[in-house]
Amino acid sequence: MEQELTRIGVSLPANLLNRFDTIIAQRGYSSRSEGIRDAIRSYIVDYEWMSKEEGEKIGVITFIYVHHKRGLGDTLTDLQHKFLKLIESSLHVHIDHENCMEVVLVKGDAKDVKTLVERIMALKGVKHVKLTITSLGDGL
Ligand code: NI
């Protein structure tokens, strides 16, 4: 049976929507709605994958943020100090006039890594967060 569709209204910055429209046109989506449904599915898969990870892991958290957003840089630094035991190293890159990128190498329990990633994701002004996880051997 076909699922009932629910309409939602979403407010987005114009440039974000423009870029999204360009991509869904290039990928041949029949409508913006279909592109958004796929993006939401992908977001859910990513989140569920992250939630299932457990045990000792090494990983890299990469994120981009607006550097002139008031207090954001300090908040990100405070957050990393709170997760001191998890963080092995970090690298800050000033990408352009507006954006900074940080690459944070983490080693520790997957649950703690997930918590840190979620805390970073939840901050306003953080545009993109990517987590890459690798297992610590165990014969794999
Ligand atoms: Ni910077």
Side-chain angles (χ1 to χ4, degrees):
M1 197 178 78
E2 190 118 331
Q3 283 217 327
E4 197 179 313
L5 297 175
T6 306
R7 285 186 79 88
I8 56 165
V10 183
S11 304
L12 298 169
N15 66 343
L16 182 63
L17 187 59
N18 289 342
R19 286 170 62 192
F20 186 75
D21 283 345
T22 305
I23 291 168
I24 61 174
Q26 284 168 354
R27 298 183 75 174
Y29 280 95
S30 56
S31 70
R32 186 187 271 165
S33 287
E34 189 49 42
I36 290 170
R37 283 194 284 273
D38 252 14
I40 291 175
R41 285 185 201 108
S42 171
Y43 181 89
I44 291 170
V45 167
D46 270 6
Y47 182 80
E48 287 178 346
W49 165 79
M50 196 166 76
S51 300
K52 281 184 197 133
E53 289 284 334
E54 53 183 30
E56 189 80 358
K57 301 282 173 183
I58 47 175
V60 179
I61 305 167
T62 307
F63 55 95
I64 292 170
Y65 67 96
V66 184
H67 93 98
H68 55 71
K69 173 101 186 151
R70 185 179 277 271
L72 182 57
D74 285 348
T75 304
L76 283 164
T77 303
D78 288 348
L79 192 54
Q80 291 183 54
H81 277 266
K82 279 193 188 111
F83 285 82
L84 198 63
K85 286 185 183 151
L86 198 66
I87 296 172
E88 293 285 321
S89 181
S90 69
L91 174 71
H92 182 109
V93 182
H94 312 299
I95 298 180
D96 55 30
H97 220 68
E98 188 180 352
N99 300 291
C100 292
M101 179 171 105
E102 279 192 33
V103 179
V104 179
L105 211 153
V106 290
K107 178 169 163 253
D109 192 83
K111 284 186 180 65
D112 297 331
V113 174
K114 181 182 157 248
T115 303
L116 176 58
V117 169
E118 285 172 352
R119 297 278 295 274
I120 295 169
M121 278 178 171
L123 295 172
K124 208 168 182 183
V126 174
K127 290 176 170 180
H128 182 69
V129 185
K130 176 97 183 161
L131 170 67
T132 312
I133 273 188
T134 311
S135 288
L136 282 180
D138 300 333
L140 293 173

